[in-house]
Amino acid sequence: MANSNDHPMTISEKIFSKASGKTVKAGEFVLANIDRAMTHDITGPLAIDGFYDIMRDKEEKKVWDPSKIVIVFDHQVPADSLNASANHIKLRQFAKEQDILNYDVYEGVCHQVMPEMGHVRPGDLIVGSDSHTCAYGSLGAFSTGVGSTDMAAVFASGKLWFKVPETIRFEANGKLPKHVYSKDLILHMIGDVGAEGARYMAAEYAGSTIEGLPISERMTISNMAIEMGGKAGIIEPDKTTEAYLQERIPDYKLDTYWKSDEDAEYAEFHDYDVSDLEPQVACPHNVDNVKPVSEVEGTKVDQVFVGSCTNGRFEDIKIVAEMMGDEPVAKGVRLLIIPASRTEYMKVLRAGYVEQFMEAGAIVESPCCGPCMGGSFGLLGDGEVGLATSNRNFKGREGSPESFVYLSSPATAAASALTGEITDPRKI
């Protein structure tokens, strides 16, 4: 492992130094060894085609290391079309042929399953053929999304070229007010710097606010780094990270090396005092079109979606359940609750929330991406308005290009489901 004695390094520079076998700094191009690769049912088939194309002249067409590749079925599950079924068959056959771990029985959303099942460690360099792979930075990994063609190259060689990114550091300090969560904080940051504010940079999140967050809320922040253009969204691992990993990886011990050096060089600094932060809402049709909830209150909603790799964990759903209590969903509103994984679903079930939501008039679906990418169920029709705890609200993202998607925290989503319009959760 390269050490940082030569020059102070960010955690991202340290990870790329380890992955390339030499001390590197931001701006350099490196051929890096990949620690883990993930693909799913939408992007996986094209990666498989690319892999066989690369290997066409080889007698043995085997991936570089099957133990380092993970396949997750999550976007169109259970299969909702003949094309989806064909993709699933292709991935199952590839996984069996190559001896690759395949979560094909709807274990959950890839970005929840990967850390939950112990496939992510601090200091890892991880690629996934999905843009929200940056979520694993919540555990101190450098994880980033790549295209299916790049993933094909990783399947074949276990390596990929990178430009070591500069780092933009976001410091948040203070205690989040009641009914204000990490989703509000990351939306505020995205609104502040814009959709390209961290373009091809490692977004590093730090400060007392971040340090005080559980892993579930850190995941939300890292997940959305891509929405400010970030190559990765990384949080230095600490005792909270260690405790999370020890539940999943026997005998795991935190290596304190995986943090930025005190004098590391940053491209930019952004400081935030969260003590007066209001709940935030991203308005159509861009994630950086962020406004305080007070400016959009009263907007009628047709559907509220709580779930996705951003806010589909038990802790998120618990917020909704506690805010709703015995109250029914507002007349004319569809409330969809989709836990992010089988594990999270079982927690929700055992807590009695499934019965509570069903009695309130909501629907609880099995773990998957759901309406998030507009390819499965729960799609919005022409002119409809949806409020979601997911990560993107682009035109047509959750259905009709004539629909409108707002993004919020689970607390704002719960308040809005009760009233039928975007509502400040502090008023419930």
Side-chain angles (χ1 to χ4, degrees), residues 24 69 153 157 185 216 219 278 339 375 418:
V24 300
I69 300 172
S157 69
L185 176 55
S216 59
M219 285 179 173
E278 210 182 304
L418 289 172

Side-chain angles (χ1 to χ4, degrees), residues 196-208:
E196 296 198 10
R199 185 169 58 179
Y200 205 92
M201 292 193 222
E204 189 176 297
Y205 305 103
S208 64

Side-chain angles (χ1 to χ4, degrees), residues 279-291:
Q280 305 285 300
V281 176
C283 302
H285 293 284
N286 291 295
V287 185
D288 61 351
N289 184 17
V290 178
K291 297 177 181 175

